[in-house]
Amino acid sequence: QVQLVESGGGSVQTGGSLRLSCAASGSPSYSYCMGWFRQAAGKEREAVVTTESDGRTNYRDSVKGRFTISKDNVKNILYLQMNSLMPEDTAMYFCASLGRYCSGTYPVAEYIYWGQGTQVTVSS
């Protein structure tokens, strides 16, 4: 059983920062390939940044240079540091895991373990 629990969301103004956390527990397979995703109201869930087994990261273009993914392997926590936030970043943010080794990027539907999400709201 794998559990992913996000926290750290909130409301900020344009230009502000937030750090999201995803506490993970359960089978070690959750840690192989993880990512942060978001879903805005009325829109499809999209990948924000994903990791590969060799440590490579894949950021969506709109967050490059503003968001940074990191991981504390001792505490089993995945982080997403979000700087220079913009109203278009407003969404529910989720962490997720493929549950297996991976190379490259994968459709959202292939991620099998999900947290409950944490809301990020950016006002102008």
Side-chain angles (χ1 to χ4, degrees), residues 6-76:
E6 301 96 335
S7 61
S11 297
V12 297
Q13 293 188 323
T14 297
S17 298
L18 285 172
R19 188 177 77 160
L20 306 184
S21 300
C22 172
S25 62
S27 169
S29 64
Y30 73 78
S31 66
Y32 298 157
C33 291
M34 299 188 71
W36 285 97
F37 299 78
R38 66 187 181 188
Q39 187 166 17
K43 295 189 177 180
E44 302 259 329
R45 192 169 296 188
E46 62 186 21
V48 176
V49 54
T50 57
T51 66
E52 300 179 35
S53 298
D54 63 359
R56 296 183 193 185
T57 55
N58 302 289
Y59 290 88
R60 71 180 304 105
D61 288 345
S62 62
V63 307
K64 286 179 181 177
R66 300 189 298 122
F67 291 11
T68 304
I69 191 171
S70 62
K71 191 176 176 187
D72 185 326
N73 290 315
V74 174
K75 296 180 179 178
N76 293 328

Side-chain angles (χ1 to χ4, degrees), residues 95-117:
C95 69
S97 169
L98 273 173
R100 57 182 173 86
Y101 289 107
C102 71
S103 178
T105 58
Y106 296 79
V108 173
E110 291 205 21
Y111 286 77
I112 60 174
Y113 300 118
W114 290 87
Q116 83 290 348

